[in-house]
Amino acid sequence: MAARREVEIVALHASAVHAYEGRPSDGPRPDPGPVRRDHVEVRAKLGIVGDRYFNRPAHRNAAVTFLAAESLDPWPVDPVVARRNVVVRGFDVDALPRGAVFSLDSGDGPVRFEVHRPANPCAWMNAVIAPGAFKALRGKGGKRCVPLDDGVLRAGTAVLDIVSA
């Protein structure tokens, strides 16, 4: 795994509500506003400002979710439907082990994240992506992380650096 590489942040997502609650057959709840962001503010140990997991004690070690865009390549979907906070192209997020620390710098300085656990897909993926997506995304649903620094992430080109693996 290369220590430093250029990646693309293809989508940033922050939503104050859970859209995928209840039964997938009933369809997602509407978001109260746009969830796709051109940039997000990250706060150390708290998450992404304005996101439903920000400063939630039960989610402190899982407040920011990352997904490799390549995991969604089999389907022509907007990566925001996966509802991961940061979708990157050019890096295998799922290869990061628990405890790994990486930084992402999209032009405003590096922001470090510590990997805590997989972001497992749910049955909603069959409803919002395609039938079979839930099973196909097992092991490729991304990682839940805790931010270690305050900072800003912007969509577009970024530098990802593995600090420790």
Side-chain angles (χ1 to χ4, degrees), residues 5 24 36 48 57 106 113 125 130 137 144:
R5 68 177 62 203
R36 177 184 289 280
I48 292 176
S106 58
F113 296 89
M125 298 301 99
L137 285 169
R144 295 186 181 278

Side-chain angles (χ1 to χ4, degrees), residues 61-126:
N61 289 335
V64 180
T65 53
F66 284 82
L67 177 69
E70 291 83 356
S71 296
L72 298 174
D73 281 349
W75 308 282
V77 296
D78 182 343
V80 171
V81 301
R83 298 199 52 97
R84 299 296 187 249
N85 298 117
V86 184
V87 182
V88 297
R89 182 168 297 284
F91 183 72
D92 183 4
V93 173
D94 294 296
L96 290 167
R98 181 182 181 92
V101 176
F102 66 96
S103 68
L104 200 54
D105 185 346
S106 58
D108 293 280
V111 181
R112 292 175 306 137
F113 296 89
E114 183 177 6
V115 176
H116 278 268
R117 66 180 192 254
N120 296 317
C122 66
W124 274 95
M125 298 301 99
N126 288 340

Side-chain angles (χ1 to χ4, degrees), residues 8-72:
E8 180 187 4
I9 299 175
V10 298
L12 293 167
H13 174 276
S15 174
V17 300
H18 293 277
Y20 301 159
E21 288 184 326
R23 297 179 188 153
S25 60
D26 295 337
R29 290 179 20 188
D31 277 296
V35 296
R36 177 184 289 280
R37 309 295 170 103
D38 61 352
H39 72 283
V40 292
E41 291 181 53
V42 179
R43 295 289 174 254
K45 307 288 185 187
L46 300 176
I48 292 176
V49 175
D51 191 64
R52 63 200 176 280
Y53 294 122
F54 183 77
N55 197 22
R56 299 279 182 148
H59 293 280
R60 289 255 171 80
N61 289 335
V64 180
T65 53
F66 284 82
L67 177 69
E70 291 83 356
S71 296
L72 298 174

